Amino acid sequence: MRNRQVAEGWITDFLASETKAGRRVLAGFDFAFGYPKGFGKALTGTGDPFAIWDWFEERVQDDPKSNNRFDLAGEINAAFAGIGPFWGNGLQRDIPHLPRKGLDREAHGMTEKRAAEACTKGAFPVWQLSGAGAVGSQVIMGLPMLARLRRSFGEKITIWPFEPLTTPIALVEIWPSLIAKSIAATQPAGQIKDAHQVQVMAETLSALPAKDLTLLLDVPANEEGWILGLGHEDLLMQSALSASLPPPLKNDCFAMPQGANWTPVDDALEHLRKELSSVVATQEILIKDAAGRILAANVQAARSHPPAPNAAVDGYGFAGPAPEGINRMPLVDGRAAAGAPFAGTVPAGHAIRILTGANLPQGVDTVVLQEDVSVTATQVSFHGPIKQGSNARKAGEDMEAGQIILKAGRKLTPADLGTLAATGVGAVRVYDQLRVGILSTGDELREPGDDASDGQIFDANRPMLAALVAQWGYSVVDLGRAPDNRDRLRTILNKAAERCDVILSSGGASAGDEDHMSALLKDTGSFALWRIAMKPGRPLAMGQWQGKPVFGLPGNPVAAMVCALVFAAPALRVMAGGDWRNPTRYMVPAAFTKSKKEGRREYLRARIKDGMAEVFPSEGSGRVSGLSWATGVVELDDPAQKVAPGDPVAFLPFHSFDA
Ligand code: AMP
Ligand code: MG
């Protein structure tokens, strides 16, 4: 919201519509509701905290471009002995009685902090009006708004802790920093810190069991006000964490029974499906921001679609059916259009002009297409028969109010936003965007565009995997390149664990001398080396670093890409809160010949030409360009087989791996 005026309008409307709907609201405001003891008496002559609210409300002038808060503070100071208590003139011009520095104050007689601030670390006193972290101006500018809310909601509103909370609307003072420490790690990439704190605070309070909320609210009435939750930080932080975070994955979630044989692809997938679950918190967002996000709860239609019977075409409405032969009907005066319904009743045997989307007037259940009639000023005629209900849509024929239209776990498509909007759903609960760290490992790697010797290669995996992950709708955290050095890799992983939910690395995943990813994960006790019966392959190094799942993909770009599609796509989707997905397989005739041996699955870079699947001429796994040539892969199942041109094979488009 651009400014306080807009915000105040929104809050007022919101409180009004919530109370009208019969719901109760606990609204938290992040500024002090009162001043240190004695200030009210000095300013207004009474100890009533609301007298301060009204005092400011009468005098504060506030518009989006300017306000009089510094002058007002100067005026208040003038009425006090000594210098102060307000300070922090943030303007160029000097203001009488308003010092620029806190230390310039003296003998004003006021306590520096409220009791509430005195027992917190990092809370600023209400006297300081400017400078980083200052809150004094927010109080002066905020109280008049609270005074107006109080006046306009009268009997329906009470203010904590000044009054017992007995009304549908309760205003409380909150301080989102109370839970800042416990939720810093759950902040979604790119989200503003305050927004995250406020969101989690709101969700925490609303999820709090009644007995805990009662405990938080149990504060004696006093003129200074109090911060909700102060003194109960542990309880609050605990609930903030559990309200916002799902249970962690088991440390051994990647442990697979290790036989002498290589693991079939399907067994590995089944293992991921069984062991993985969502690792992210949830939030409510507007549907306009929800494309690609994953629903955290089932969504019901807010109302039926269409809400009332209406016309599917432009034409003439009447009570059907119309018998065979020529029908002539006198026209009713007026018309029915979308958004402009016809209020009267259409008598039997009459017709009315009606346009697409218009609600059917009383007496109308059938519409004849305007192309099929001849019409005069007073009469319409057309050939029957026309069945009752023709060209008319029934109320709720698309969706019924209350019906579940989209299920939790669904990744929202553009069409879904249309469906949600059509039934009046404006906001949905979704999972926070999964933060996926992308890391390349290897001493030989250089950044594309930089100089490189013959012994060095350019890092192809990082941009490729990052783009893939972004395409799946997750937020990419670029972890850069790690050299083949265990300590450096450890440091990188430590940092990554703080800001990622999952880490996708490539290279160093086998069991060789320079395979440091495997070596480090081994020390955590969560490591599993997955030898999967597939081509292109090489082992996957699976494990957790400080509780964050790590997928160690092969270094070879073709193998890295195919393993990312086959394993990371479904795994990330589940960890992001989504449902398990198998890629769509299209059976198409092969345009190639191939004979493969038994015991492993093969993925061939492929594309469709003239309705047939052709494959990249070389199966060499170093041929990155083949990935660009292809639009998907042909999947050849585990048993031995000979494929001849025309034989049906499974084609899996790249985009179907997370569709
Ligand atoms: P590694 O799994 O580390 O033994 O790497 C296997 C092969 O993939 C080696 O030839 C590496 O040079 C190559 N490779 C590893 N990482 C990348 C990368 N990010 N981009 C291109 N090639 C890579
Ligand atoms: Mg390497």
Side-chain angles (χ1 to χ4, degrees), residues 439-442 444-445 457-463 481 484 506-510 514-515 538 553-557 624:
L439 176 69
S440 288
T441 69
E444 73 278 28
L445 300 182
I457 61 168
F458 295 112
D459 179 1
N461 292 346
R462 208 160 100 252
R481 289 174 282 122
D484 289 320
S506 64
S510 302
E514 298 295 348
D515 291 321
R538 296 276 302 258
L553 303 170
N556 182 304
V624 189

Side-chain angles (χ1 to χ4, degrees), residues 435-631:
R435 302 166 304 174
V436 183
I438 309 286
L439 176 69
S440 288
T441 69
D443 281 338
E444 73 278 28
L445 300 182
R446 287 294 173 274
E447 206 63 14
D450 285 359
D451 289 338
S453 69
D454 279 357
Q456 297 172 326
I457 61 168
F458 295 112
D459 179 1
N461 292 346
R462 208 160 100 252
M464 179 175 74
L465 295 174
L468 203 52
V469 162
Q471 212 169 62
W472 294 336
Y474 311 126
S475 107
V476 171
V477 182
D478 187 354
L479 300 176
R481 289 174 282 122
D484 289 320
N485 172 307
R486 209 157 293 186
D487 288 331
R488 296 276 299 280
L489 182 58
R490 185 184 293 114
T491 309
I492 289 171
L493 289 176
N494 285 344
K495 285 221 185 84
E498 278 173 21
R499 51 195 189 114
C500 305
D501 301 306
V502 189
I503 298 163
L504 276 194
S505 86
S506 64
S510 302
D513 297 349
E514 298 295 348
D515 291 321
H516 300 286
M517 183 60 85
S518 298
L520 281 175
L521 288 176
K522 228 173 251 164
D523 291 342
T524 69
S526 65
F527 176 69
L529 194 65
W530 285 18
R531 295 173 198 282
I532 302 187
M534 70 184 272
K535 184 186 169 192
R538 296 276 302 258
L540 298 180
M542 312 289 282
Q544 292 188 53
W545 191 261
Q546 293 174 6
K548 302 297 167 77
V550 179
F551 278 65
L553 303 170
N556 182 304
V558 175
M561 172 82 155
V562 171
C563 288
L565 292 171
V566 175
F567 298 109
L572 292 185
R573 188 184 176 104
V574 169
M575 289 189 283
D579 45 14
W580 181 267
R581 274 302 158 95
N582 295 313
T584 311
R585 293 170 163 77
Y586 298 92
M587 296 309 291
V588 291
F592 59 93
T593 307
K594 155 102 187 164
S595 127
K596 84 174 263 298
K597 58 180 186 181
E598 139 126 62
R600 70 174 184 203
R601 187 163 297 181
E602 294 195 15
Y603 293 93
L604 311 176
R605 282 152 283 178
R607 65 186 185 190
I608 301 294
K609 193 180 171 201
D610 302 331
M612 298 173 88
E614 56 173 1
V615 296
F616 192 59
S618 157
E619 287 183 26
S621 62
R623 302 276 294 264
V624 189
S625 68
L627 289 172
S628 293
W629 176 94
T631 57

Side-chain angles (χ1 to χ4, degrees), residues 24-64:
R24 298 188 301 164
V25 183
L26 180 97
F29 295 82
D30 179 13
F31 54 81
F33 280 15
Y35 282 86
K37 201 159 178 270
F39 176 73
K41 178 105 176 116
L43 184 75
T44 68
T46 86
D48 176 2
F50 296 127
I52 306 180
W53 292 23
D54 294 337
W55 193 96
F56 278 120
E57 208 264 324
E58 262 168 47
R59 291 168 180 81
V60 167
Q61 291 157 12
D62 190 12
D63 74 59

Side-chain angles (χ1 to χ4, degrees), residues 78-98:
F80 277 75
I83 304 174
F86 287 104
W87 67 278
N89 176 9
L91 302 181
Q92 294 272 320
R93 67 179 162 87
D94 286 333
I95 290 177
H97 306 287
L98 186 63

Side-chain angles (χ1 to χ4, degrees), residues 96 154 156 259 273 302 315 433 499 621:
K156 295 203 181 74
R273 179 182 188 152
Q433 250 184 331
R499 51 195 189 114
S621 62

